[in-house]
């Protein structure tokens, strides 16, 4: 294992570059040109929208406070229902793209690192690094406001058949396998009876600052959904030939071995997708894929389910305003 000198959020990019350099100089150069510190392409490259990493999808964010003031939300059974397996839903019962697009979207939040900021964190990086107290305050706001966390199977049944969801549904997703998702997010979600969706990048498993296979298994065993986020976070739009095997097939197999469950959901690195990716993902058994704030594909909305990055700058009120306006 190479020496670890870079601190988050640069550690991710540094990790790839350092680990690839000896074996694959060309790949390392490529990795260095990509901003691997976060999932979103726009803010990572432009540095714009410091207080809103999903800028183009939203309007202003100065609405009234969302919370009901009721802090005593107990763990709710509605949070924990997994939903039917998509394979049990007959195709004939599933709606077409127009029907799916017509249904109100469920707010889906995307988190990366959950840790306090340091002097070395850039302004742009702080969209992807949420201070621990801020994360806890966001979760408390959701609970106080009566939100119920839902799982991808529930969302799939809702989108395809109109199946009922709990009141005020929200989906909590975590990308990139960061260790603090296990140490901080897991117990915080448990406090409110919430379940999360963890999109794992398999190259990072067991590395310093990332989750181990055992942690991923535990999350899965506890009723959270494990999804794929590729092997090492390369842009799906650039895959050719064996890339599909490296980035998709092998990671899926790894995650299925870890969890003992079928891996059905995918999150695009950087939120980037193209329509050529849909048949590739479908033939590999994925039933839905998650992007970021961009508009959904009008023919294949299930493979472009929108999420917003819950910025580290966002107070609970700002988060709520963005949820209301973006979905
Ligand atoms: Zn990512």
């Amino acid at each position: 294992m190479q020496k670890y000198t870079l601190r988050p959020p640069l550690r991710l990019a540094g990790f790839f570059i350092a680990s690839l350099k000896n074996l694959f100089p060309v790949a390392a150069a490529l990795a260095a040109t990509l901003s691997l510190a976060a999932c979103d392409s726009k803010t990572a490259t432009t540095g714009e929208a410091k207080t809103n990493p999903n800028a183009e999808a939203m309007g202003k964010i100065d609405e009234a406070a969302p919370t009901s003031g009721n802090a005593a939300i107990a763990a709710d059974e509605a949070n924990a229902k997994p939903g039917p397996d998509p394979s049990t839903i007959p195709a004939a019962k599933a709606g077409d793209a127009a029907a799916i697009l017509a249904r109100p979207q469920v707010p889906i939040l995307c988190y990366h690192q959950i840790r306090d900021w340091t002097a070395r964190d850039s302004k742009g990086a702080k969209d992807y690094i949420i201070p621990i107290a801020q994360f806890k305050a966001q979760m408390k706001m959701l609970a106080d406001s009566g939100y119920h966390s839902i799982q991808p199977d529930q969302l799939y049944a809702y989108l395809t058949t109109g199946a009922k969801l709990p009141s005020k549904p929200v989906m909590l997703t975590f990308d990139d396998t960061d260790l603090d998702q296990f140490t901080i997010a897991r117990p915080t979600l448990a406090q409110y009876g919430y379940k999360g969706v963890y999109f794992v990048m398999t190259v990072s498993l067991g590395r310093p600052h990332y989750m181990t296979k055992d942690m991923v298994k535990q999350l899965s065993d506890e009723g959270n959904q494990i999804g794929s986020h590729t092997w090492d976070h390369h842009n799906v739009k650039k895959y050719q030939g064996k890339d599909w095997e490296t980035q998709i097939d092998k990671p899926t197999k790894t995650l299925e071995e870890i969890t003992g469950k079928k891996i059905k959901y995918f999150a695009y690195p950087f939120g980037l997708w193209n329509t050529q990716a849909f048949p590739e993902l479908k033939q590999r058994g994925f039933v839905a894929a998650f992007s970021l704030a961009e508009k959904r594909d009008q023919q294949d909305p299930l493979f472009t389910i929108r999420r917003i990055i819950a910025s580290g700058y966002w107070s609970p009120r700002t988060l709520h305003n963005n949820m209301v306006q973006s979905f």
Side-chain angles (χ1 to χ4, degrees), residues 271-322:
L272 296 174
W273 52 269
N274 56 15
T275 54
Q276 295 93 300
F278 305 158
E280 298 283 353
L281 291 169
K282 287 175 189 177
Q283 79 183 38
R284 289 168 167 84
F286 290 97
V287 299
F290 295 79
S291 57
L292 288 171
E294 235 173 274
K295 200 165 177 279
R296 290 180 288 179
D297 182 80
Q298 299 299 291
Q299 274 72 52
D300 242 326
L302 288 175
F303 279 78
T304 48
I305 298 176
R306 295 178 61 249
R307 305 184 289 167
I308 58 171
I309 291 171
S311 170
Y313 291 102
W314 289 359
S315 67
R317 175 189 296 201
T318 305
L319 169 65
H320 188 267
N321 290 339
N322 279 313

